[in-house]
C-alpha cells in the first residue's frame, strides 16, 4: 500500500513503504516562512506530548559511537526499573533501532489515523524506517526530513509513558537542533567513546542542549573497556577515566562506563537486545545503573 505524506510544501510527497503491510499515514508539516537560524528568536515553541511524562534525547558528537545501542538498552533498562517507556528512532539515515529491536508485527493506525507503536520487550517503539525507504531518505536530505520526523513523532499514539527516549541522528548540527527545538525535552544524554574523548565533540553536545535550555543529564562513555568473555575480567584498552574527567571539565554529570562486549553487538544484530534477553549479564547491570542516574536526574528537573 502506498504511503502519502501530506505536506504544506510546494509538492505533495509520496513515499514508498520500507516495510510491507504498512498502512497509509498522513503527516502534516508546518512550514515556517524562512529556515530558522540556530536557536533564533521566534522559532516555534517546543511541544510536549500528551500522556508522556519525560522526553529524553540521546545524542553524540559524531557517528558510530554506539548511540543507538545505548538508546535501545537504556530504554530497556528504564523499563526493567519499572518505568513505562517509549523509543523513537529519530535517525532517518541510519534507522538502526528497528534492526536492534525487531520489526515483527503490523503497524496499525487508530481511527484518528495516529500510528500505534510496535511493542517489543515491554517497550513501545516507532522507527521512521517503517515508513520511509533508504532511497527516499536520501532524496529528502536536509531540513525537510527533520521537519517530517518531528511531526511524525507527534502523530504517534504513545499512550501513557514515564519516558520517551529519542535516538537522535549522530552529530550536533542543524538537524539535531531542530528536533531539540520542536520537542519539549526534559533532558539530554551524550554518548561518547574513549577514542573520541575529543573535548570539542562532547562540548558541542552540551552546547546544543543548553542552547535550547535542556538540562544535560550526563555523559555516557561507551566501549570504555573490553569485558573479556574468556576470563570475565575487564581489559583496559584505552586510557581509563577520560569520560569522567571530561564530564567534570564540562560540569555535567558522568553517567558511567559501558564496556565493549560481544554480546552487546550480537544482541543488536539479532534484534535480541542484551538488557532484555540477559538480565543477569554484568552489562545489563551497568545499563541499569546508568538508567537509575537518568531517572534521578529527571526527577531533579521536574518539567
Ligand atoms: N559497547 C559495545 N560493545 C560492543 N559493540 C558495540 C557497543 N556499542 C556499539 N556496538 C556496536 O557498534 C556498532 C555501532 O553501534 P551503533 O549503531 O549503536 O552506533 P551509532 O552511534 O548509533 O551509529 P550511527 O552513527 O551509525 O547512528 C554496532 O554494530 C553495535 O552493535
Ligand atoms: Mg545510530
Ligand atoms: Zn581476558
Amino acid at each position: 500500500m502506498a504511503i502519502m505524506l501530506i505536506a504544506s510544501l510546494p509538492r505533495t510527497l509520496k513515499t514508498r513503504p520500507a516495510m510491507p503491510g504498512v498502512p497509509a499515514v498522513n503527516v502534516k508539516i508546518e512550514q515556517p516562512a524562512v529556515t530558522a537560524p540556530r536557536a533564533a528568536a521566534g522559532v516555534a515553541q517546543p511541544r510536549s506530548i500528551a500522556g508522556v511524562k519525560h522526553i529524553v534525547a540521546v545524542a553524540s558528537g559524531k557517528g558510530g559511537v554506539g548511540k543507538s545501542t545505548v538508546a535501545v538498552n537504556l530504554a530497556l533498562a528504564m523499563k526493567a526499573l519499572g518505568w513505562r517507556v517509549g523509543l523513537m528512532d529519530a535517525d532517518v539515515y541510519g534507522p538502526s533501532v528497528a534492526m536492534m529491536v525487531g520489526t515483527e508485527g503490523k503497524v496499525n493506525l487508530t481511527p484518528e489515523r495516529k500510528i500505534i507503536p510496535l511493542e517489543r520487550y515491554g517497550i513501545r517503539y516507532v522507527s521512521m524506517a517503517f515508513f520511509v525507504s533508504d532511497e527516499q531518505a536520501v532524496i529528502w536530505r536536509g531540513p525537510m526530513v527533520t521537519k517530517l520526523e518531528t511531526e511524525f513523532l507527534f502523530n504517534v499514539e504513545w499512550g501513557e509513558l514515564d519516558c520517551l527516549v529519542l535516538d537522535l541522528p549522530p552529530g550536533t548540527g542543524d538537524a539535531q537542533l531542530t528536533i531539540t527545538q520542536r520537542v519539549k525535552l526534559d533532558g539530554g544524554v551524550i554518548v561518547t567513546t574513549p577514542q573520541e574523548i575529543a573535548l570539542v565533540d562532547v562540548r558541542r553536545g552540551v552546547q546544543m542542549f543548553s542552547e535550547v535550555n535542556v538540562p544535560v543529564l550526563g555523559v555516557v562513555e561507551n566501549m570504555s573497556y573490553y569485558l573479556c568473555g574468556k576470563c570475565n575480567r575487564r581489559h583496559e584498552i584505552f586510557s581509563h577515566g577520560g569520560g569522567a574527567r571530561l564530564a567534570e571539565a564540562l560540569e555535567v554529570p558522568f553517567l558511567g562506563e559501558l564496556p565493549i562486549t560481544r554480546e552487546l553487538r550480537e544482541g543488536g544484530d539479532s534484534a535480541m537486545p542484551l538488557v532484555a534477553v540477559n538480565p543477569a549479564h554484568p552489562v545489563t547491570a551497568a545499563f541499569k545503573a546508568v538508567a537509575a542516574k537518568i531517572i534521578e536526574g529527571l526527577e531533579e528537573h521536574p518539567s
Side-chain angles (χ1 to χ4, degrees):
M1 204 187 305
I3 289 180
M4 289 254 287
L5 294 145
I6 299 172
S8 53
L9 286 165
R11 287 171 292 136
T12 302
L13 295 154
K14 289 185 184 170
T15 81
R16 225 173 296 146
M19 251 176 77
V22 171
V25 182
N26 297 337
V27 178
K28 280 206 193 97
I29 302 169
E30 288 160 35
Q31 171 92 322
V34 250
T35 312
R38 280 179 79 92
V43 167
Q45 281 300 303
R47 285 156 68 192
S48 47
I49 302 174
V52 177
K53 277 196 197 149
H54 304 283
I55 308 179
V56 170
V58 181
S60 65
K62 65 177 190 191
V65 299
K67 180 172 44 57
S68 300
T69 304
V70 171
V72 165
N73 285 286
L74 257 186
L76 291 163
M78 285 179 169
K79 147 84 181 45
L81 296 177
W83 273 27
R84 295 162 302 175
V85 181
L87 176 64
M88 158 90 182
D89 192 348
D91 183 5
V92 88
Y93 301 119
S96 38
V97 168
M99 183 188 83
M100 291 178 181
V101 187
T103 54
E104 285 144 48
K106 196 169 169 292
V107 181
N108 290 311
L109 301 182
T110 66
E112 297 78 38
R113 309 202 65 72
K114 284 186 110 183
I115 300 153
I116 301 171
L118 291 184
E119 196 150 344
R120 290 236 35 207
Y121 304 113
I123 62 170
R124 295 173 203 160
Y125 84 103
V126 129
S127 170
M128 285 292 287
F130 301 163
F131 302 96
V132 182
S133 66
D134 290 351
E135 218 176 289
Q136 274 155 355
V138 172
I139 297 167
W140 295 352
R141 207 160 259 297
M144 166 76 218
V145 168
T146 313
K147 279 181 208 125
L148 186 68
E149 273 177 350
T150 329
E151 292 309 316
F152 179 87
L153 177 65
F154 294 107
N155 279 283
V156 177
E157 186 62 54
W158 289 107
E160 298 278 315
L161 292 182
D162 294 301
C163 189
L164 174 63
V165 177
L166 301 182
D167 181 18
L168 291 184
T172 51
D174 285 342
Q176 294 76 8
L177 193 78
T178 304
I179 299 174
T180 58
Q181 283 169 336
R182 290 179 167 243
V183 184
K184 201 177 167 307
L185 297 175
D186 297 275
V189 171
I190 299 164
V191 181
T192 187
T193 56
Q195 310 94 298
E196 200 213 356
I197 295 297
L199 191 67
V200 279
D201 283 321
V202 178
R203 180 172 280 148
R204 272 196 212 107
V206 172
Q207 259 163 9
M208 175 179 76
F209 288 120
S210 59
E211 265 183 71
V212 287
N213 293 316
V214 173
V216 174
L217 298 169
V219 174
V220 179
E221 187 181 300
N222 187 33
M223 310 196 212
S224 184
Y225 53 94
Y226 174 62
L227 189 64
C228 177
K230 284 197 186 116
C231 67
N232 275 325
R233 260 182 276 167
R234 174 178 170 141
H235 297 288
E236 303 287 350
I237 310 174
F238 308 103
S239 69
H240 179 241
R245 280 194 296 274
L246 184 65
E248 201 186 334
L250 294 172
E251 297 180 329
V252 292
F254 184 61
L255 297 172
E257 296 165 349
L258 299 166
I260 186 159
T261 182
R262 176 191 292 269
E263 291 99 310
L264 208 45
R265 208 251 323 133
E266 284 174 349
D269 288 350
S270 58
M272 305 225 295
L274 182 67
V275 168
V277 302
N278 199 339
H281 197 283
V283 176
T284 299
F287 271 106
K288 280 194 195 163
V290 174
K293 286 192 184 145
I294 291 174
I295 289 174
E296 203 178 293
L298 286 170
E299 283 167 350
E300 265 171 34
H301 301 274
S303 46

